């Protein structure tokens, strides 16, 4: 009997968490991969742009909060600070989970733990292409990657010093897809953060090079104006799966 009651509570608890993590649909489309550049002569003649097709997907509206991750640990104590193997965490893992505000995004969380969280709810981390596609949207434009005001706002946030605490989720801005805080609150894990090459295909021309993730890649990229994008790729390239950073969190997609 006790086992049945326990199972029921776990199912009910999980269902409640999923409802709290509302998803919104991001329609399929294409994103100009300004962090890439064509390398073949044929590709350069054809265009100096790399266009990546992204299928429709559903994403959490908000980054995962401290409260949601505490609930996850209640179901999966193997990912608690004391139980997680050192293979999957560094010394900063969940450093402020006990003291952080409930509605703040969870940070100091590793890629391994973020992935486990998403998988526990039948979700996954977004790919680089999916994240960049969704993050290109402003409040009024699906692709604001060439809007000076939009890019300047991101760079200003990147230049802000670390504050005493992170703001609550839903406090920065909502883009045209209904997604909150793609920029301005935290950096976010993506599933293929450590890929040497972007896996997204170019349906316009398959001969484009996938060089980036480093300063040299940035300098050879097609659009040097979007320095914010280069900073994101440089940041990701410096991470390890067990890295835990004060302003690095995540959200899940399906």
């Amino acid at each position: 009997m006790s086992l049945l009651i326990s199972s029921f509570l776990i199912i009910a608890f999980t269902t409640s968490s999923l409802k709290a993590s509302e998803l919104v649909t991001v329609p399929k489309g294409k994103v100009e991969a300004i962090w890439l550049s064509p390398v073949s002569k044929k590709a350069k003649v054809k265009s100096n742009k790399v266009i990546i097709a992204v299928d429709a997907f559903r994403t959490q509206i908000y980054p995962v909060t401290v409260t949601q991750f505490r609930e996850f640990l209640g179901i999966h104590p193997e990912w608690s600070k004391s139980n997680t193997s050192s293979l999957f965490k560094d010394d900063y893992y969940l450093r402020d989970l006990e003291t952080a505000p409930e509605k703040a995004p969870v940070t100091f969380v590793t890629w391994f733990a973020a992935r486990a969280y998403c998988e526990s709810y039948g979700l996954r981390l977004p790919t680089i292409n999916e994240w960049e596609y969704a993050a290109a949207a402003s409040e009024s434009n699906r692709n604001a990657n060439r809007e000076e005001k939009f890019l300047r706002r991101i760079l200003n946030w990147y230049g802000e010093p670390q504050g005493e605490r992170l703001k609550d989720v839903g406090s920065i801005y909502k883009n045209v897809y209904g997604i909150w805080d793609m920029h301005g609150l935290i950096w976010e894990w993506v599933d293929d953060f450590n890929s040497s090459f972007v896996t997204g295909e170019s349906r316009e021309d398959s001969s484009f090079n996938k060089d980036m993730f480093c300063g040299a890649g940035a300098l050879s990229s097609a659009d040097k104006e979007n320095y914010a994008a280069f900073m994101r790729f440089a940041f990701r390239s410096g991470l390890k799966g067990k890295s835990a950073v004060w302003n690095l969190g995540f959200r899940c997609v399906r």
Side-chain angles (χ1 to χ4, degrees):
M1 176 62 74
S2 61
L3 179 60
L4 288 175
I5 293 175
S6 177
S7 299
F8 172 79
L9 289 175
I10 290 175
I11 292 172
F13 192 77
T14 303
T15 302
S16 175
S17 296
L18 284 173
K19 288 181 178 177
S21 305
E22 297 181 6
L23 303 178
V24 64
T25 298
V26 179
K28 69 178 182 180
K30 297 181 179 180
V31 60
E32 182 183 344
I34 55 178
W35 55 93
L36 305 181
S37 60
V39 292
S40 71
K41 292 183 179 179
K42 178 181 178 182
K44 288 180 178 179
V45 170
K46 183 178 181 180
S47 173
N48 63 350
K49 300 179 180 178
V50 180
I51 305 298
I52 294 176
V54 179
D55 292 331
F57 61 98
R58 291 177 61 76
T59 179
Q60 286 185 289
I61 296 173
Y62 305 103
V64 174
T65 66
V66 168
T67 292
Q68 289 174 318
F69 201 81
R70 288 174 182 167
E71 292 175 351
F72 165 72
L73 294 180
I75 304 171
H76 297 279
E78 67 272 22
W79 286 103
S80 68
K81 187 174 183 178
S82 59
N83 291 338
T84 301
S85 168
S86 60
L87 294 174
F88 305 122
K89 68 174 184 181
D90 63 15
D91 293 340
Y92 296 97
Y93 180 58
L94 301 181
R95 186 176 187 178
D96 68 345
L97 187 68
E98 299 302 321
T99 59
E102 294 182 349
K103 294 183 180 180
V106 65
T107 56
F108 289 113
V109 63
T110 68
W111 175 81
F112 294 108
R115 190 174 63 167
Y117 176 97
C118 294
E119 289 179 349
S120 73
Y121 297 119
L123 305 173
R124 60 178 173 80
L125 290 173
T127 64
I128 288 176
N129 293 343
E130 288 171 337
W131 195 95
E132 291 290 337
Y133 173 61
S138 67
E139 293 93 328
S140 58
N141 188 350
R142 290 180 59 173
N143 182 13
N145 270 342
R146 291 189 179 276
E147 294 183 5
E148 182 179 354
K149 182 179 179 181
F150 179 73
L151 299 178
R152 175 55 55 188
R153 185 173 60 176
I154 297 172
L155 282 176
N156 288 342
W157 172 69
Y158 288 171
E160 291 180 357
Q162 180 177 355
E164 293 185 0
R165 52 152 292 188
L166 291 170
K167 296 178 181 177
D168 291 345
V169 299
S171 61
I172 306 300
Y173 75 101
K174 181 172 70 173
N175 70 15
V176 293
Y177 302 122
I179 310 170
W180 279 90
D181 309 326
M182 289 300 288
H183 299 289
L185 185 62
I186 56 172
W187 304 83
E188 297 186 17
W189 281 111
V190 292
D191 188 60
D192 48 351
F193 75 96
N194 59 351
S195 299
S196 297
F197 299 95
V198 169
T199 56
E201 63 175 316
S202 167
R203 294 179 181 176
E204 300 295 328
D205 192 313
S206 59
S207 62
F208 285 110
N209 188 25
K210 312 300 189 296
D211 58 341
M212 22 70 80
F213 291 97
C214 63
L219 291 174
S220 64
S221 61
D223 189 341
K224 297 178 176 62
E225 294 180 358
N226 195 338
Y227 189 69
F230 305 146
M231 292 182 68
R232 288 196 295 276
F233 282 97
F235 176 76
R236 290 168 184 150
S237 68
L239 295 172
K240 296 180 180 179
K242 64 178 187 179
S243 297
V245 183
W246 70 273
N247 60 351
L248 176 59
F250 69 100
R251 75 181 76 212
C252 307
V253 303
R254 172 180 292 151

